Amino acid sequence: MAKTEQNVTNETVEQNEAAVETITEETAVTAVMNGRAVSGFKVKREKFKADDGREMWSYYIDGTVRNRKVKVSFVAYDKGGAGYEFLDLIFDTKDAVDLVMYDETQKDFNGKIISKRTVYEIQDVDEVTGVVYSYKVKPYRETDKAYINIMLAEQAAKFKKDGK
């Protein structure tokens, strides 16, 4: 009886490992297929002074919503200084880089969707080597997400109207 339980356990572990690998590969493929530079959305950065006097960078895109100028702010995805150090590396040679967005879906072992989210990446391609430098960021506030969605909707409406 113990031998049967051991076989079932080993088979279950192997199936679960296969399911995890499939989900991981699927997520990676989805990211590559759906990742796209959002036309006209260039992320810029500007210096500001923190409350303690240190000079720091803020990251943003300029946009227009209903003829009003808006600024959509982004922050490093991980906490601490490492994320901002990597953003400095991306902006090392340019004043503005692409905002890349794609949808990411997480599934359980049965294929049921657990969650969906939009991923935002700041991305630059080295002109000499062709190496892609990319780092995940997130909108600073919920209103920043709302502005991006409206700007995308307005962009799509203009595209449809102009027939391009």
Side-chain angles (χ1 to χ4, degrees):
M1 187 86 170
K3 189 174 185 178
T4 306
E5 288 177 9
Q6 182 66 32
N7 288 341
V8 170
T9 305
N10 286 342
E11 288 176 24
T12 304
V13 168
E14 288 173 8
Q15 288 171 349
N16 287 344
E17 286 174 353
V20 170
E21 289 174 13
T22 302
I23 291 169
T24 305
E25 288 172 14
E26 181 178 329
T27 302
V29 169
T30 302
V32 170
M33 290 172 53
N34 293 338
R36 65 198 188 288
V38 179
S39 177
F41 288 6
K42 290 285 191 179
V43 179
K44 302 173 187 174
R45 71 177 181 167
E46 66 182 355
K47 281 188 179 180
F48 71 94
K49 283 205 182 238
D51 293 339
D52 62 2
R54 290 182 298 154
E55 281 193 347
M56 302 177 82
W57 292 101
S58 65
Y59 301 89
Y60 65 95
I61 57 175
D62 287 321
T64 305
V65 175
R66 288 195 169 168
N67 297 319
R68 294 181 192 175
K69 298 281 183 194
V70 297
K71 185 183 254 185
V72 178
S73 299
F74 294 93
V75 294
Y77 197 77
D78 56 347
K79 296 178 182 174
Y84 290 101
E85 288 176 17
F86 198 84
L87 287 171
D88 286 344
L89 180 73
I90 292 174
F91 278 92
D92 193 35
T93 60
K94 295 187 179 169
D95 295 330
V97 295
D98 291 320
L99 175 65
V100 175
M101 299 169 56
Y102 56 90
D103 293 325
E104 190 172 72
T105 304
Q106 185 179 10
K107 297 179 182 180
D108 66 10
F109 295 115
N110 297 321
K112 181 180 175 187
I113 294 174
I114 297 172
S115 66
K116 290 183 182 181
R117 68 184 182 113
T118 300
V119 177
Y120 305 89
E121 288 185 9
I122 289 177
Q123 193 173 88
D124 182 49
V125 179
D126 187 284
E127 294 174 6
V128 176
T129 63
V131 172
V132 177
Y133 294 84
S134 183
Y135 181 73
K136 290 181 183 179
V137 292
K138 55 187 171 184
Y140 180 59
R141 299 171 294 265
E142 283 297 314
T143 52
D144 291 322
K145 285 183 187 178
Y147 280 136
I148 291 172
N149 289 335
I150 292 297
M151 290 163 53
L152 286 170
E154 287 181 351
Q155 188 180 61
K158 185 177 188 276
F159 183 80
K160 186 176 180 181
K161 179 183 172 188
D162 293 345
K164 293 182 180 179

